[in-house]
Amino acid sequence: MGFARAAQFQASNRGTAAFPLTCFRSQVSNPFSIFYRGNPVKFSFNVILVALILNILISRALHFLLKPLRQCRFVSQLIGGIMIGPSLMARSPIFVSMVFPFTSDFLLKNLGLIGFMLFLFVSGVKMDIGLLKRSGRKQLCIALPSVFVPLVVASIVGFTTRESMDTNLKKFASIEAIALSMSVTTFPIHYTVLEELNLLSSEVGSMVMSTTIISDTIALNFMLAFEAMKQYEVSTYNAILYMISSMVFTSFLIVVVRPVMLSIIENTPEGEAVDQFYVISIFLAAFVLGFITDMIGLAICIGSFWLGLVIPDGPPLGVTLVEKCETITMQVFLPCSFAYIGFFTDFHAMKEASWSALRPLLGLVLSGYLSKLITTMLASKMVGLSWRDSLAMGLLLSMRGHAELILYIHWIVGVPGFSMLVFGNAILMGIHVPLISILYDPSKPYMVDQRRTIQHTAPNDHLRILLCIKDKEHLPSLVNLLQLSYPTVQNPFSIHAFHLVELIGRANPLFIDHQNQKLEELVTRFPDWDKIHHALNLYQQGKQDCVDLHFFSASTTIVTMYQDVCKLALVSGSVIIVLPLEKKFDGEIATTKQWGGGNRSVIIQVLENAPCSVGLLVDKVDRWYSQSQVSQEIACNIIVLFLGGPDSREALSYSNMIVRNPRVSLTVVRFLSSNGEGDDKMQKKMDDKLVTSFWVQNERNKRVAYREVVVRDGADTIATILGMAKEKYYDMWIVGRQQRINPFLVEGLSTWTDNQEELGIIGDYVSSSDCVNADSVLVIQKQVLRGRVSNANVVVASLDYVATLIRGWILCR
């Protein structure tokens, strides 16, 4: 661009007087290094690299510093962009001349636009338009008033104060555009925040996503109408051409582009990635369509966003595009996008502007925000949500993000007004996100006070089991566990099979109840579903009188997967959740590949939040028994390691159930500390009572053996376990996880194992040690009640003790 225009560009963005005009070469190569007296900051490309590195480092550093304050990535990136702009760093002439001279900031701003285009493209790919069909009455009753009420209120306030507005803002289209931006809820920011807060699979998160899709649909139509009004202010001819161009463009996407995308999916072999040629062509199309929408008068980012919308989400195409594009977009280009916002933001220009110039815009924005918040809260309460959840809904749907910032630039509200809007966005998001994380705890509904354990299940009641299946490789061990558990007409099972798939390439989690929903088009998104359904139906054959089988599927992120598991366990009334772990590799249990790793793994989260007991099933061989082998009545030897505490009592209760199986031989080994050191008297009494009840029921059963072992420390415990393993081969080892085990029994073992956080010390040792040969290991954790502390809780423990006495008396009779 010409130099005079460049000076005006700088001045208009920074709200200051035009800079002195100085002529220099815009493109200079750097053939010499600093060793030949070369100055790298004088060369345009080097300066761009410095600016890019500075943007990324500042945004990452701010996110690290603000994360303990529960701030989302959007806030840190927005503050980083503001810091780099004329509000702070760019006020220094030395900083501007070194980092953002005319030859670099123009290109950096265009990189920022590319970042917004790619971000909205990825967001469009992730959006599931089919959610409009699946949205219920509640979502519609929240979406409609939460859009139209604030739109009307903000419009009334805007037109009331219209006379005091500046020339650009007082236009009809500009007022309505700002009012619309305050009334609608856009998908990109809500998905980003819900993902960071791990609320995608929560009740409020699901409702917000559905409401957002409805709101976005309304917003797109209004935006086209307001843009037409803006064109009409120039001439009627322009408005007509704009409407015709928009309709042709939309028809082209639906009639041409959508079928092409579907044909790409059809031509991609199952299980294989999309051809690289198609991926590159689609990325190129995103930029081409952005150029077209800018040419016909729409915002330049709208073209890439609409292209993303017509691409089917999920595998194979949606997943491939997101995986190829998301990282570099979020981590490299998006910081440049916020630097682009920062260039247009100048808080000093707000000071220079008069209060009378900013007051109308502030009134318009505040009226839209407050009416949006209050209307959403009231609508949420009217459809049955609690006041706390209604407030969370209001805060979530009142957030402003990336799309609004782009619209503010597109509708030209002036540097002081734009700076005020950006400042308001930063304050708004900085307050909302921590409040939402405090108000709404997604794990709270799953922590129930009612006992849901095997130990407290009545003898003739249905044993409700939730099987979590992440991969078809888990099927052999799960089916054989069910076979051994031995359901009968007197002791029937109610089994809920839950197939879980990681959410990649789409934003909206899916939950399918295959008994109540006929969603064949969604079932195709679960590639292993047919095999899982077939295997479990084979197991049920001949057991219809004693086994009820229910199928569910879910597609969600790893970090929120535990919420779906706990929710289904709560609704189904399950008493135990069975989570299969991956098979043994080189003596170690690989838990991270399928269930996630660290403190955010699905296993840890389920153990902490489950409304019932949890069983972790570890397969130590490639295949245990097939169904045909079990039917041939091959004997199975099982050993229970009873170290005391609630988990061991639950493990013994389960063993007492499977010993009814005539093909099972059971050995129970109880570990006692020398001289009773470290024993909790209340826990010891409950252990004694349950063991006595178990032995009274099985003392005449020749397939049951019981022994007690006195040990001094963890080394003695391990030595006893190894002795048992050498003495006899046991097909399955059952052990309690870790609750209230006498510390003397595991003294000195804390450094012996790697996965003790998931399996407990003894469970992890038995699972991963090559010295203990077995087909599988079952580690059981008893339900953890809400409010239960780590030390002895006298009231809960007493109730547990009384329940154990009653159950033992019933079973003895």
Side-chain angles (χ1 to χ4, degrees), residues 19 40 73 177 208-209 217 227 250 277 292 324 357 359 396 426 447 456 460 540 546 603 662 693 701 708 789 809:
F19 296 106
R73 191 179 299 276
V208 166
M209 293 299 290
T217 305
E227 186 66 46
T250 306
F277 171 78
I292 293 174
K324 298 282 186 183
R359 183 173 54 193
L396 280 166
M447 302 299 288
H456 295 88
N460 296 324
Q540 191 188 25
C546 54
I603 295 172
S693 174
N701 190 340
E708 294 181 350
V789 294
W809 179 77

Side-chain angles (χ1 to χ4, degrees), residues 12 19 111 219 403 540 546 575 638 660:
S12 65
F19 296 106
L111 285 176
Q540 191 188 25
C546 54
V575 298
I638 298 176
R660 297 190 299 259

Side-chain angles (χ1 to χ4, degrees), residues 304-461:
S304 59
F305 180 62
W306 285 5
L307 175 63
L309 287 179
V310 300
I311 296 175
D313 61 330
L317 186 57
V319 170
T320 303
L321 292 173
V322 171
E323 288 179 342
K324 298 282 186 183
C325 187
E326 189 169 35
T327 300
I328 192 170
T329 298
M330 300 297 293
Q331 305 301 332
V332 178
F333 284 112
L334 209 54
C336 295
S337 302
F338 284 95
Y340 171 74
I341 296 296
F343 292 153
F344 283 88
T345 306
D346 189 353
F347 293 153
H348 299 278
M350 291 174 57
K351 294 181 180 179
E352 296 172 6
S354 61
W355 168 243
S356 59
L358 295 177
R359 183 173 54 193
L361 180 60
L362 180 62
L364 193 157
V365 170
L366 284 179
S367 61
Y369 165 72
L370 292 176
S371 58
K372 174 80 173 178
L373 178 64
I374 295 171
T375 303
T376 305
M377 284 180 57
L378 295 178
S380 301
K381 182 61 180 175
M382 289 180 64
V383 299
L385 271 67
S386 65
W387 278 114
R388 180 182 290 265
D389 291 352
S390 298
L391 179 56
M393 284 286 294
L395 292 172
L396 280 166
L397 293 177
S398 301
M399 294 187 302
R400 309 291 98 187
H402 312 75
E404 287 78 11
L405 294 177
I406 300 171
L407 288 176
Y408 296 156
I409 295 176
H410 179 67
W411 288 91
I412 311 174
V413 294
V415 173
F418 180 81
S419 301
M420 186 181 70
L421 292 173
V422 171
F423 181 71
N425 267 24
I427 296 297
L428 193 70
M429 293 296 293
I431 295 174
H432 276 212
V433 176
L435 273 179
I436 293 165
S437 64
I438 294 170
L439 281 172
Y440 191 75
D441 181 6
S443 64
K444 185 178 179 180
Y446 317 133
M447 302 299 288
V448 295
D449 294 323
Q450 181 183 0
R451 285 287 188 181
R452 292 188 175 186
T453 67
I454 297 174
Q455 182 182 350
H456 295 88
T457 302
N460 296 324
D461 195 6

Side-chain angles (χ1 to χ4, degrees), residues 764-782:
D764 185 40
Y765 179 81
V766 174
S767 301
S768 59
S769 174
D770 288 331
C771 300
V772 179
N773 295 321
D775 290 338
S776 62
V777 177
L778 181 63
V779 180
I780 295 180
Q781 172 184 278
K782 192 174 184 178

Side-chain angles (χ1 to χ4, degrees), residues 672-681 684 710-711 742 744-745:
L672 300 171
S673 65
S674 178
N675 299 321
E677 291 183 276
D679 284 342
D680 183 307
K681 292 184 179 180
K684 181 70 162 50
V710 179
V711 297
N742 186 332
F744 281 85
L745 300 182

Side-chain angles (χ1 to χ4, degrees), residues 46 64 197 201 237 277 284 309 350 392 450 475 545 563 574 587 665 797:
N46 292 357
F64 175 77
L197 295 178
S201 296
Y237 180 71
F277 171 78
L284 179 61
L309 287 179
M350 291 174 57
Q450 181 183 0
L475 285 172
D545 295 336
Q563 296 177 15
S574 299
S665 296

Side-chain angles (χ1 to χ4, degrees), residues 56 117 182 195 261 301 365 367 387 500 612 641 782:
I56 295 173
M117 290 178 67
M182 298 307 302
E195 185 182 36
M261 299 302 166
C301 299
V365 170
S367 61
W387 278 114
L500 294 151
C612 59
L641 303 180
K782 192 174 184 178

